[in-house]
Amino acid sequence: MADGKRIQTFEDFVEVHGLLLTASGLPQSLHRQLFLKLTSETFDGGAHFQVEPFEDGRCRRLVLSSDFMAKESHVFLVDHAWTFRLSDAYKQLLEVPGLAERMASLMCVDIDMNLDEEGEDYSKSNDDEAKQGVWELLESEVRGAKEKGNDSVRWLELEDLQINDDTLLSLDLPTKFPDLLALSLTGNKLRNVDVVAQEVAKFKHLRALWLNDNPVAENCDENLLQKVLEGSSNLEIYNSRFTLNYSKWALGFCGDVYEKDNPGSIYPADHTLQCLTRLDLSSRCIHNLINKAFSPVELPSLSYLNLRGNPLEQNSVGDLLKVLKEFPCLSSLEVDIPGPLGEKASDIIKSLPNLKTLNGIDVAKILNSGKHVIDSMLLPRLPEWAPEEPLPDRVINAMWQYLMTYRLADEEKIDETSVWYVMDELGSVLRHSDEPNFSVAPFLFMPEGNLTSAISFTLLWPIHNVQKGDECTRDYLFGIGEDKQRSARLTAWFHTPQNYFVNEYEKHIRNLRWKALASSISQTTSNTEGLHQSKGGILHVYTDNPQVEEFLNRPEFIMTSDPKEADIIWTSMQIDEETRKATGITDQQYVNQFPFEACLVMKHHLAETVEKAHGCTEWLQPTYNLETHLSQLIGDYFVRKRDGLNNLWILKPWNMARTIDTTVTDNLSSIIRLMETGPKICQKYIEHPALFNGKKFDLRYIVLVRSMKPLEIFLADSFWVRLANNPYSLEKKSLFEYETHFTVMNYRGRLNHKNIADFVKEFEQEHNVKWLDIHSTVRSMIRSVFESAAVVHPEMHSPFSRAMYGLDVMLDSSFQPKLLEVTYCPDCNRACKYDVENVLGDGEVVKGQEFYNYVFGCLFLNETTHVTPL
């Protein structure tokens, strides 16, 4: 059909949307159904699905309300409730009427979960009334025991009865209930350690005691525990935690053998645990698992064991595995990984060959997937907020659990920034499963046959048979396997095992600290022969750079439009073998780039190069390639959070300029989800930069490289400052303000040029520093950058390469330089446009129109006018 003609038939629809249909993965059998629903605007999901709240209203899930839905039998349209570019998100939430309210409701952050404590009326109830309620409960317990034929009460729950220290003493519980095995005083008003410990010590057979939610437990729990244990040698469970005295009673309690209706005897039988098959010991604070009670002799039928959340630090990995291997029926195990049994799931499986499932997952599937960290019971990462936090802030924090993304493109180009969107109230409640029963995909419907008319939807269809009442799920990481760090990326939505990531981070840091330059590189005098002398005449230059073409006017150089005739190729395009063949460029022509210079100009390679050469260095912020080191980044994030350190990070695409697709955030889910828009590094944000009149700035330096071996580099006397337009702030809302946190204003924002001489003078006055001292540390850092490349990548050397690089540098609040990035073929518009005073020398004026004459003189004629050797 002709472009721009309205779609009327199914054939028209397929012709226009063929590529989109293929990309969506929607089965061909559903294409006609999709066409009919799109053209009739049919949203019929509500007739087949039901939304159910859970977790006290903090989450929702989608269940099938129809009797049955067959695989690939239906396709549903899901509307988009909010579509935006990331830089506009906060502004839209503030300005679009009703948007923040709708999103807050959809994301379950519109209710205050931190409700005020109950009023004082109830807490001030008359003591006599409280005692009366306790007495009535005690009498009821005694009657109940007699009715069941028991000679005494052995399990007593006195919870939330406002029992204080005086009431506890007056009750004289040890006299009335001498055979008590379990006592819960949870939620009362006990305060005095000595009173509680003395009363508890009078119970000679007490096995379990709960004092949770009492002031005495909240204010001095360790002191109370010590005193209680001194007087209660038989106590096995204290506040749900195992004591060092735990034995068969505690194990029987966790295995549901002992409970209120069956508390056991003060003299337990020898074989009470023989038939126990399932034992949940999770989060019992067990330090030593190996004792007489926990053994194959006492638990011969044990088939399921949960050890999550226990330190077990008094047992070695080998001893624990040896004991577990002796249980003949143990086939299902749950344990922290990494943890007391080791760091890898595969190692645990090999040591326990009888296991069928580990952490709820079939062991064969684990071994096939190659996962080290596996879990089928990951808890969702629910958003948190302060009561006073406004709705837009809550939404910004929570939205990463719900967002999906796509990038627009046509036949000519692809959008530089991605589009993010939130599905409507039906689509947003689809939860994750590694084995989902539904699939989703974004889809652009173009009713007029062109991109201008496009309307975005999400398609939803069943990929398995679904029964009524089944939860409907999707795979949040569809198509992403362990080769792309699937387990680590699930951290965006779930609480994954922190200790695994902390271990990965600590190993990473140890490796960096062992690294150093293989050998120091001594500064050399210029050995490179000038081209003018070697060629003995005028040098022909081919360039696609308008500034070079305009301002390079020295008589030693003449422009040519034919690259084959040029002595020097100065271009912004990459010159590889394919380019050489296409243009006729030979290996004997000089080019303005070095082989393998990607080790400097691509951000992930730059960090890798510096780390290989120097390990950890003060002038490069901690940097992680998210495509390969996500686990280490997550570990770093968790360690900083644990230690109360700043956790603000900046994400930068590997190879994009002008801060395109660059984000500042302290949200871990955001960091992980932003991987979906392309390969990135994540770098620790410089949260306390040096400021100029309260605003952020960075410095652009120009480095000229004649040779990598020997290393001959020069720093241009011309450099310039780039200023943010807004006062610097760390308020969350400011993170979306480009003109607060970024300084590149050539392409967006208001360019505020500042003469470098004026800047240096005013900066020295504002901060009482000497610029020459700062410049000395910058020079040292810049040389270290190129030393790193020369040592780590000696293949960079080429006798026919000369290059100019831009280095962006920021100063921290202590005026120490931090390297931001290295740029190939930098934009030198300011250097050519403005005359600058040489603030580093005798104050001579460097003419802007002469900039490229100086550059070419240094690189090709061995001159040093207005450049300084490093």
Side-chain angles (χ1 to χ4, degrees):
M1 61 175 283
D3 183 53
K5 181 181 177 182
R6 185 168 182 82
I7 291 174
Q8 295 180 332
T9 67
F10 176 64
E11 288 69 27
D12 292 342
F13 172 72
V14 172
E15 182 181 344
V16 171
H17 298 87
L19 290 176
L20 291 170
L21 288 167
T22 301
S24 72
L26 183 72
Q28 191 171 358
S29 59
L30 291 174
H31 288 184
R32 185 175 293 276
Q33 186 182 139
L34 173 62
F35 165 68
L36 294 174
K37 289 191 175 184
L38 285 168
T39 52
S40 61
E41 297 183 359
T42 299
F43 295 87
D44 57 344
H48 298 270
F49 304 100
Q50 181 178 334
V51 176
E52 291 184 351
F54 69 106
E55 292 282 353
D56 296 324
R58 297 189 67 188
C59 288
R60 300 187 181 103
R61 59 187 164 214
L62 194 68
V63 297
L64 187 70
S65 56
S66 299
D67 290 336
F68 175 76
M69 188 172 291
K71 173 184 176 181
E72 299 179 0
S73 60
H74 291 71
V75 61
F76 299 95
L77 296 182
V78 178
D79 204 359
H80 293 174
W82 183 25
T83 303
F84 60 93
R85 308 277 183 176
L86 193 56
S87 58
D88 300 326
Y90 197 85
K91 184 179 180 182
Q92 289 185 12
L93 288 168
L94 291 175
E95 297 180 356
V96 177
L99 177 62
E101 289 76 12
R102 183 182 181 187
M103 289 300 104
S105 175
L106 184 150
M107 299 174 188
C108 304
V109 296
D110 59 341
I111 55 175
D112 193 346
M113 301 303 295
N114 300 311
L115 298 174
D116 293 335
E117 294 183 5
E118 294 182 7
E120 294 295 316
D121 292 341
Y122 179 76
S123 66
K124 292 181 179 178
S125 298
N126 186 281
D127 283 346
D128 292 337
E129 292 181 5
K131 288 181 182 179
Q132 184 64 32
V134 176
W135 283 113
E136 291 176 358
L137 179 60
L138 293 178
E139 291 174 1
S140 174
E141 291 289 336
V142 171
R143 286 196 305 271
K146 289 181 178 179
E147 290 172 359
K148 294 176 182 178
N150 296 326
D151 55 351
S152 62
V153 174
R154 294 194 293 273
W155 190 298
L156 190 58
E157 296 178 359
L158 302 176
E159 300 177 352
D160 301 311
L161 293 171
Q162 302 184 80
I163 298 173
N164 58 27
D165 300 325
D166 292 337
T167 304
L168 181 64
L169 289 170
S170 68
L171 293 175
D172 193 18
L173 296 176
T175 301
K176 294 181 176 65
F177 307 104
D179 296 334
L180 203 65
L181 294 174
L183 173 63
S184 175
L185 291 166
T186 297
N188 287 294
K189 296 183 175 181
L190 301 173
R191 295 180 180 277
N192 190 296
V193 172
D194 293 328
V195 168
V196 174
Q198 288 168 14
E199 286 300 293
V200 170
K202 296 176 184 178
F203 293 103
K204 300 305 179 184
H205 307 290
L206 195 66
R207 305 288 186 182
L209 174 67
W210 291 274
L211 294 170
N212 310 72
D213 299 327
N214 278 278
V216 69
E218 295 170 2
N219 300 329
C220 44
D221 190 43
E222 291 304 317
N223 185 27
L224 175 61
L225 174 59
Q226 182 179 347
K227 290 201 171 188
V228 166
L229 291 177
E230 287 174 359
S232 305
S233 59
N234 291 321
L235 195 69
E236 299 185 31
I237 296 176
Y238 172 78
N239 286 357
S240 299
R241 295 174 294 176
F242 278 21
T243 71
L244 297 178
N245 304 322
Y246 86 88
S247 189
K248 287 187 286 187
W249 193 93
L251 295 176
F253 170 77
C254 293
D256 296 328
V257 173
Y258 300 129
E259 55 180 342
K260 184 173 182 179
D261 292 336
N262 179 33
S265 169
I266 58 175
Y267 303 110
D270 288 339
H271 304 295
T272 53
L273 307 181
Q274 293 289 304
C275 296
L276 193 150
T277 60
R278 296 178 61 84
L279 186 56
D280 185 352
L281 300 181
S282 59
S283 302
R284 294 291 177 181
C285 201
I286 302 173
H287 299 278
N288 181 4
L289 185 65
I290 303 173
N291 69 13
K292 292 182 180 179
F294 185 80
S295 70
V297 174
E298 297 292 342
L299 298 161
S301 305
L302 186 66
S303 61
Y304 167 85
L305 175 64
N306 188 341
L307 292 174
R308 294 174 186 269
N310 293 294
L312 302 177
E313 80 284 0
Q314 295 181 16
N315 305 125
S316 69
V317 172
D319 287 344
L320 287 171
L321 291 171
K322 180 180 178 182
V323 168
L324 294 178
K325 190 175 181 179
E326 292 173 353
F327 286 84
C329 300
L330 185 62
S331 60
S332 182
L333 177 66
E334 297 199 30
V335 65
D336 297 328
I337 306 174
L341 296 188
E343 296 189 357
K344 296 181 179 180
S346 57
D347 291 345
I348 296 173
I349 293 170
K350 291 173 184 176
S351 299
L352 303 174
N354 290 334
L355 283 185
K356 299 292 189 297
T357 65
L358 179 61
N359 288 358
I361 301 177
D362 186 271
V363 295
K365 185 180 293 186
I366 295 170
L367 294 174
N368 289 335
S369 71
K371 289 184 179 180
H372 294 330
V373 182
I374 50 93
D375 212 319
S376 65
M377 299 178 63
L378 297 177
L379 296 176
R381 189 177 292 277
L382 299 178
E384 300 175 354
W385 63 89
E388 68 278 4
E389 197 169 358
L391 287 184
D393 289 51
R394 297 185 185 191
V395 171
I396 287 294
N397 183 49
M399 67 183 186
W400 297 101
Q401 313 291 317
Y402 298 89
L403 292 182
M404 297 180 72
T405 186
Y406 60 82
R407 185 169 289 189
L408 294 172
D410 57 25
E411 294 177 353
E412 296 181 358
K413 66 174 183 178
I414 187 170
D415 251 10
E416 291 179 334
T417 57
S418 296
V419 175
W420 293 90
Y421 66 94
V422 178
M423 291 187 286
D424 65 15
E425 283 75 2
L426 186 144
S428 289
V429 296
L430 282 160
R431 296 201 302 162
H432 169 76
S433 173
D434 285 339
E435 298 178 350
N437 49 17
F438 279 81
S439 189
V440 299
F443 189 82
L444 288 180
F445 177 48
M446 296 177 282
E448 302 294 339
N450 52 47
L451 195 58
T452 307
S453 66
I455 308 168
S456 63
F457 299 97
T458 291
L459 309 182
L460 170 68
W461 69 96
I463 55 176
H464 294 289
N465 294 339
V466 188
Q467 305 291 334
K468 183 175 183 177
D470 286 352
E471 181 175 359
C472 305
T473 59
R474 67 181 179 94
D475 186 349
Y476 288 171
L477 293 170
F478 178 74
I480 295 175
E482 285 306 313
D483 59 326
K484 295 183 180 178
Q485 308 176 100
R486 179 182 177 88
S487 293
R489 290 172 76 158
L490 283 172
T491 306
W493 296 277
F494 298 98
H495 289 285
T496 48
Q498 289 193 17
N499 52 350
Y500 169 79
F501 298 109
V502 171
N503 287 347
E504 290 298 300
Y505 162 70
E506 290 174 345
K507 286 191 290 186
H508 173 68
I509 289 300
R510 284 196 297 270
N511 289 338
L512 289 182
R513 287 173 179 163
W514 280 102
K515 292 177 180 177
L517 272 172
S519 60
S520 61
I521 303 175
S522 59
Q523 186 164 338
T524 62
T525 57
S526 178
N527 294 323
T528 307
E529 185 180 5
L531 269 68
H532 190 265
Q533 293 91 329
S534 64
K535 288 186 173 285
I538 293 175
L539 299 172
H540 291 77
V541 178
Y542 170 82
T543 184
D544 57 9
N545 186 316
Q547 294 166 350
V548 174
E549 199 164 2
E550 179 179 359
F551 295 111
L552 180 60
N553 50 31
R554 294 183 56 153
E556 297 93 337
F557 303 95
I558 188 170
M559 296 296 167
T560 177
S561 59
D562 186 353
K564 288 182 285 190
E565 295 180 356
D567 301 298
I568 300 167
I569 307 293
W570 193 277
T571 178
S572 57
M573 67 179 179
Q574 183 181 1
I575 300 178
D576 51 23
E577 288 304 314
E578 189 173 322
T579 305
R580 290 181 184 274
K581 289 179 182 178
T583 59
I585 297 174
T586 70
D587 292 338
Q588 303 303 307
Q589 292 172 287
Y590 287 81
V591 295
N592 65 324
Q593 53 195 254
F594 279 84
F596 302 97
E597 66 182 7
C599 72
L600 288 171
V601 301
M602 293 187 73
K603 299 178 186 69
H604 62 306
H605 288 321
L606 171 63
E608 183 182 81
T609 298
V610 172
E611 288 172 353
K612 283 183 176 179
H614 294 280
C616 295
T617 178
E618 289 295 321
W619 44 263
L620 183 69
Q621 290 288 91
T623 304
Y624 298 92
N625 178 359
L626 292 181
E627 295 298 304
T628 57
H629 285 73
L630 177 60
S631 293
Q632 291 78 1
L633 175 274
I634 295 173
D636 194 344
Y637 186 97
F638 285 148
V639 167
R640 290 175 184 275
K641 185 176 182 179
R642 178 196 69 193
D643 297 344
L645 301 176
N646 179 277
N647 236 333
L648 203 58
W649 298 80
I650 184 167
L651 287 90
K652 308 174 184 178
W654 281 358
N655 197 28
M656 295 279 268
R658 313 197 314 267
T659 65
I660 293 170
D661 200 18
T662 300
T663 308
V664 179
T665 182
D666 63 355
N667 186 308
L668 180 58
S669 296
S670 167
I671 291 171
I672 298 171
R673 296 297 312 280
L674 284 164
M675 294 173 64
E676 296 169 31
T677 64
K680 291 179 179 62
I681 63 164
C682 184
Q683 192 171 66
K684 184 64 190 69
Y685 194 60
I686 304 168
E687 69 270 17
H688 297 300
L691 303 177
F692 179 70
N693 293 330
K695 298 177 181 179
K696 189 175 175 180
F697 70 90
D698 65 21
L699 303 160
R700 166 59 66 88
Y701 289 90
I702 300 299
V703 177
L704 308 178
V705 182
R706 284 188 197 158
S707 169
M708 292 298 293
K709 185 179 181 181
L711 188 61
E712 294 182 52
I713 54 177
F714 302 82
L715 187 62
D717 292 344
S718 296
F719 69 100
W720 55 95
V721 62
R722 303 185 297 190
L723 296 163
N725 289 330
N726 298 340
Y728 183 67
S729 170
L730 285 176
E731 289 186 25
K732 273 202 170 184
K733 64 180 181 181
S734 80
L735 302 183
F736 290 88
E737 297 171 356
Y738 181 87
E739 296 187 33
T740 298
H741 287 273
F742 298 103
T743 60
V744 180
M745 301 297 166
N746 308 51
Y747 312 97
R748 57 192 287 195
R750 308 181 314 275
L751 178 60
N752 182 18
H753 178 72
K754 182 76 175 179
N755 180 281
I756 194 65
D758 294 339
F759 166 80
V760 167
K761 181 179 179 181
E762 293 174 30
F763 188 85
E764 287 181 328
Q765 292 172 348
E766 180 180 353
H767 295 287
N768 192 27
V769 294
K770 292 183 179 180
W771 190 259
L772 286 179
D773 294 338
I774 294 172
H775 182 68
S776 176
T777 60
V778 171
R779 280 170 49 97
S780 176
M781 181 199 74
I782 291 175
R783 177 161 181 91
S784 293
V785 172
F786 287 90
E787 284 180 342
S788 302
V791 168
V792 177
H793 292 282
E795 65 272 20
M796 274 189 72
H797 175 66
S798 168
F800 289 92
S801 293
R802 307 282 189 276
M804 174 174 72
Y805 300 97
L807 270 77
D808 295 336
V809 178
M810 187 172 288
L811 304 178
D812 66 16
S813 56
S814 299
F815 313 110
Q816 296 302 307
K818 302 285 188 179
L819 178 65
L820 301 183
E821 65 177 300
V822 178
T823 304
Y824 158 73
C825 206
D827 180 355
C828 292
N829 180 58
R830 291 201 213 189
C832 297
K833 186 175 181 180
Y834 299 103
D835 297 343
V836 297
E837 179 183 336
N838 183 1
V839 298
L840 309 173
D842 55 8
E844 181 182 356
V845 173
V846 181
K847 294 287 187 180
Q849 292 189 352
E850 296 293 319
F851 175 75
Y852 274 104
N853 287 333
Y854 302 140
V855 168
F856 273 66
C858 173
L859 292 176
F860 301 108
L861 305 180
N862 281 17
E863 297 176 353
T864 55
T865 305
H866 294 310
V867 298
T868 305
L870 291 179

